[in-house]
Amino acid sequence: MAVQMELSRIVINENGQEQIIFLREVDGPRQFPIVIGLFEANSIERRVRGIVAQRPLTHDLLVNTIEALGGELQDVFITELRDHTYYAKLRVRFEGELIQIDSRPSDALAVAVTADVPIYVAEDVITEAMQS
């Protein structure tokens, strides 16, 4: 089962390589952190603050490419947590079919914020993340 989540907080440590983003359940109290890289954290933070780059950044490029090829980014889905590593999919609607594209969760979240699409997390991932 997929649970809709939203970004609740971004913790950026410019002196370190690992940043933390917190996801919170849309219709519930649960939340958990995901460690991401500085580039992705900065990309997400810029979008959340409404800062638009003069030229397309990597996540803009991906969203623009999906749209130019006739696809529609439906949502992103964090599907698995294995050995302390999260796995995600970009879910793209193309010619009536759902195509799932493997992605790092950090990139998936940055793309979700860029395209303003929902973020879903598998129920078992939330349960495991909250136990860690």
Side-chain angles (χ1 to χ4, degrees):
M1 182 172 137
V3 177
Q4 188 171 0
M5 307 291 281
E6 62 188 1
L7 299 174
S8 69
R9 190 166 47 138
I10 303 168
V11 179
I12 296 180
N13 174 6
E14 293 182 5
N15 296 323
Q17 291 187 3
E18 295 181 340
Q19 315 310 309
I20 301 172
I21 190 162
F22 287 85
L23 295 179
R24 178 180 57 221
E25 189 174 14
V26 169
D27 293 322
R30 299 179 293 179
Q31 71 173 6
F32 65 93
I34 296 179
V35 176
I36 65 174
L38 183 59
F39 173 75
E40 293 81 6
N42 283 332
S43 181
I44 292 167
E45 183 182 41
R46 276 193 299 273
R47 284 294 180 175
V48 168
R49 291 182 181 214
I51 299 169
V52 179
Q54 291 181 336
R55 299 287 300 142
L57 300 175
T58 304
H59 300 109
D60 300 305
L61 175 64
L62 181 55
V63 170
N64 293 344
T65 301
I66 290 168
E67 291 173 357
L69 293 173
E72 177 186 351
L73 183 63
Q74 175 179 294
D75 56 45
V76 301
F77 186 32
I78 298 175
T79 58
E80 190 176 353
L81 174 56
R82 183 175 3 118
D83 298 324
H84 305 289
T85 301
Y86 290 91
Y87 294 82
K89 303 279 185 190
L90 302 178
R91 300 196 305 185
V92 176
R93 215 22 93 199
F94 180 72
E95 296 183 352
E97 298 211 19
L98 183 64
I99 300 168
Q100 297 191 58
I101 303 166
D102 188 33
S103 174
R104 295 183 312 167
S106 56
D107 288 321
L109 294 170
V111 167
V113 172
T114 299
D116 193 26
V117 298
I119 300 164
Y120 291 98
V121 179
E123 180 70 45
D124 59 328
V125 171
I126 297 170
T127 301
E128 189 174 341
M130 292 182 65
Q131 292 174 353
S132 299

